[in-house]
Every structure is written in C-alpha cells, then in structure tokens.
Amino acid sequence: MTLDELDRTARPLGLAVRGALHPAPEDAAPEGTGTLVLLGPDEPGFWDLFKSSAEYRDGRPHPLDRWSKRVTGGLGAPFGATGIFPYDGPPYAPFLRWAARCGTSWSSPVSLLVHDTAGLFISFRSALALPTMLDLPGTPANPCPTCEDKPCQTACPVGALAPGQDYDVPACVAHLKSANGAACREGCLVRRACPVSARFGRLTEQSAFHMRAFLGE
C-alpha cells in the first residue's frame, strides 16, 4: 500500500489524506506506529456523504464525531491501523504538532493553521496509526509567503483574528451572536478570505454547520 492508494480508498468515503509522518518518540504516537496519516474532509463531496449518513439524521449529539469514528474505523481496519481522534481526551492527541511535522501545514499570519491545498479550511477528522512505514511525498511550499494581498489579516470585522495577537474568542463569539454577525455565521470570514481556501470547494452549508457547533447550538 502507498499513501496515494490510501487516499484513493478514503475519498469515496468522504475523507482525504492531508499529511503523513514517520513519528519520533516525542510525537506521542501509539507504540509500534510506522506511519501516522492525518485525514480531513474530501471537499466538497464530503458534505453530501455526511448528510446522507445515519449519524447526521438520527438526532443524537455529535453526529460528525460519530461519523468520523465509524468511517475511519472502516478505512483503517484492512490495514491493521488504529484510529485516533482530536476530540478524544483528555489527554488529547497532539494533532497540531503532527500537522506541523507533516510539512503540509504551517502557522498563518493570523496564527490559524494553513494547509497547502485546504488553506485556512484545513481540519482533521482523524488520524490513522499504521504499523508499516510508507514512503512520504516531498514537502510542498507554504502558500503564505507568496500571497501578495494576505487578505486574512484584515478580514475579521472585529479584529478577533489578526497578526501579532492571540485569537480573541470572546470578541468573536459576541460578534457571531449579534445582528451584525450573519455573514460570519455562514463561515469565518478570515478562513474564507484565504485564496487557497477559496479554491478548496467547501460548501457554505457545511461552514454554517461548524459555526453552529462552535456556538454550541
């Protein structure tokens, strides 16, 4: 098996390989892991697959997390892989560290993670800890240094995400809940402003789903 073969197997299920690494002891991967593979939504087809799932329609809490566990488990089982999930904890798996180690994600000018193909829309639904060491691809270029306008720096209407500061979560939440926050409730304007994000294909309906979850609705 190769990473490309794993990616081709994952995409009809709604997931895609978004990075991979050979973990070192300090990466806190499960013992015996040869390759750690990060999985994220395969946009835009992921959303329709998720909406048609039993998890989405059964009315129970955390439908996307439950969907991710089922789909990741089915994907990894033939390869003897262990599924790892960012919401299981504490302790929580160090997904941000793993993402940086993969060489496909970096810290953006507004400190959010940016991915070479997903932009600021990058998210990880799960990881697969494979017992075998797969060949890793070359490292792509960070898109931020060559982004001329850097629209992410000025896209937040209340400055909750801006260069040189921590994410101001209270300001973000207050704006989202206000009458002026309608556009942001359809998806973070900073994430949408990223030129790489704009090419990624995430649907507005999906972004709105995540914003409702962020607000606890």
Side-chain angles (χ1 to χ4, degrees):
M1 181 188 58
T2 66
L3 274 179
D4 284 342
E5 289 169 344
L6 181 60
D7 186 62
R8 288 195 296 270
T9 303
R11 287 183 183 264
L13 304 176
L15 296 173
V17 172
R18 298 297 178 203
L21 67 147
H22 296 147
E26 60 269 23
D27 292 319
E31 185 175 355
T33 300
T35 308
L36 195 63
V37 180
L38 302 188
L39 299 170
D42 180 31
E43 314 283 9
F46 152 80
W47 185 244
D48 282 342
L49 285 169
F50 171 56
K51 281 180 62 179
S52 67
S53 70
E55 290 87 356
Y56 181 84
R57 294 178 294 174
D58 65 16
R60 295 168 53 204
H62 309 299
L64 185 51
D65 293 348
R66 292 185 288 114
W67 178 91
S68 299
K69 287 201 168 185
R70 176 177 60 81
V71 173
T72 300
L75 174 64
F79 309 111
T82 300
I84 308 168
F85 305 90
Y87 41 83
D88 280 353
Y92 295 98
F95 271 77
L96 292 180
R97 175 185 175 85
W98 294 344
R101 287 267 287 111
C102 287
T104 53
S105 298
W106 305 266
S107 180
S108 71
V110 292
S111 299
L112 294 175
L113 202 65
V114 64
H115 185 266
D116 68 307
T117 59
L120 294 178
F121 278 147
I122 184 59
S123 65
F124 301 109
R125 295 310 316 159
S126 56
L128 283 176
L130 296 160
T132 54
M133 291 189 68
L134 305 181
D135 290 337
L136 302 181
T139 302
N142 181 343
C144 293
T146 56
C147 180
E148 294 184 2
D149 296 331
K150 293 182 171 51
C152 65
Q153 296 185 359
T154 55
C156 182
V158 293
L161 284 164
Q165 67 176 51
D166 293 333
Y167 175 27
D168 190 341
V169 178
C172 175
V173 171
H175 179 69
L176 284 167
K177 292 183 175 180
S178 74
N180 295 324
C184 296
R185 289 194 294 273
E186 292 186 346
C188 172
L189 295 182
V190 173
R191 296 183 189 275
R192 289 157 62 185
C194 172
V196 183
S197 299
R199 299 190 293 268
F200 188 50
R202 174 174 286 186
L203 302 177
T204 299
E205 182 183 1
Q206 179 188 342
S207 290
F209 170 89
H210 291 297
M211 296 306 284
R212 290 192 300 272
F214 172 65
L215 292 172
E217 296 177 354

